[in-house]
Amino acid sequence: MTERTLVLVKPDGVERGLTGQILARIEAKGYKIVELKLVQATRDILEKHYEEHQGKPFFEPLVEFMGSGPVVAAVVEGNRVIEGFRSLAGSTEPTTAPPGTIRGDLGRDWGEKVQKNLVHGSDSPESADREIGIWFA
Ligand code: IDP
């Protein structure tokens, strides 16, 4: 049951000084942070990371936003952590993400093309393996 997932605190989260609060929620839930670093992502990393969104209208603004400042990358471990972190994060859009979640409590609507929504979490064991390989090569 123990899994690993890739968590990113996106540039909006780092810029707003929310990294500590976000990591604290992960730890408070009982998950273990096993890798952690602050990185300025290259375009190459971001194109690989968001491979599945290539061609979508928000792809270019998304890659631009994710490279606009440092991100915090973490490998987080725990039982069913992939599903569990996505539940902690809340749904994609901060305005409608449920209160109690990271995006619901801390995320804001920037009125821009891309959803700046504080965090990323892998969505499956296959994605987690792939993404951890990209960010922690
Ligand atoms: P998730 O991060 O909630 O899993 P994904 O569908 O994997 O959402 O999308 C990746 C990221 O792309 C989102 O977190 C968000 O930043 C951005 N995004 C997704 N869908 C849209 C959209 O329809 N408009 C603008 N940005 C989007």
Side-chain angles (χ1 to χ4, degrees):
M1 272 327 234
T2 299
E3 296 176 335
R4 287 184 168 197
T5 192
L6 179 85
V7 170
L8 300 175
V9 180
K10 296 184 177 185
D12 56 331
V14 174
E15 165 72 22
R16 290 177 59 205
L18 297 173
T19 304
Q21 284 192 56
I22 290 168
L23 296 179
R25 286 179 183 225
I26 291 170
E27 292 186 316
K29 182 77 179 173
Y31 300 132
K32 193 172 167 190
I33 296 168
V34 295
E35 301 267 13
L36 185 67
K37 64 179 179 185
L38 182 77
V39 273
Q40 175 62 55
T42 61
R43 185 164 179 106
D44 181 56
I45 285 183
L46 295 171
E47 284 185 352
K48 283 187 186 140
H49 177 81
Y50 283 122
E51 202 174 65
E52 67 177 298
H53 295 304
Q54 289 228 20
K56 294 185 187 167
F58 62 85
F59 179 75
E60 202 46 55
L62 178 60
V63 166
E64 207 166 292
F65 158 60
M66 290 295 291
S68 67
V71 305
V72 168
V75 177
V76 179
E77 190 177 271
N79 292 334
R80 297 177 66 192
V81 67
I82 294 171
E83 184 183 4
F85 178 75
R86 288 181 67 84
S87 167
L88 276 188
S91 43
T92 307
E93 207 188 326
T95 297
T96 54
T101 66
I102 293 168
R103 289 166 172 168
D105 287 347
L106 310 173
R108 48 163 294 200
D109 186 334
W110 298 79
E112 289 174 14
K113 256 186 286 179
V114 66
Q115 298 286 350
K116 294 183 175 175
N117 55 10
L118 300 173
V119 289
H120 164 83
S122 310
D123 65 4
S124 68
E126 296 70 34
S127 304
D129 283 350
R130 196 182 71 84
E131 293 171 1
I132 290 168
I134 293 170
W135 291 87
F136 292 91

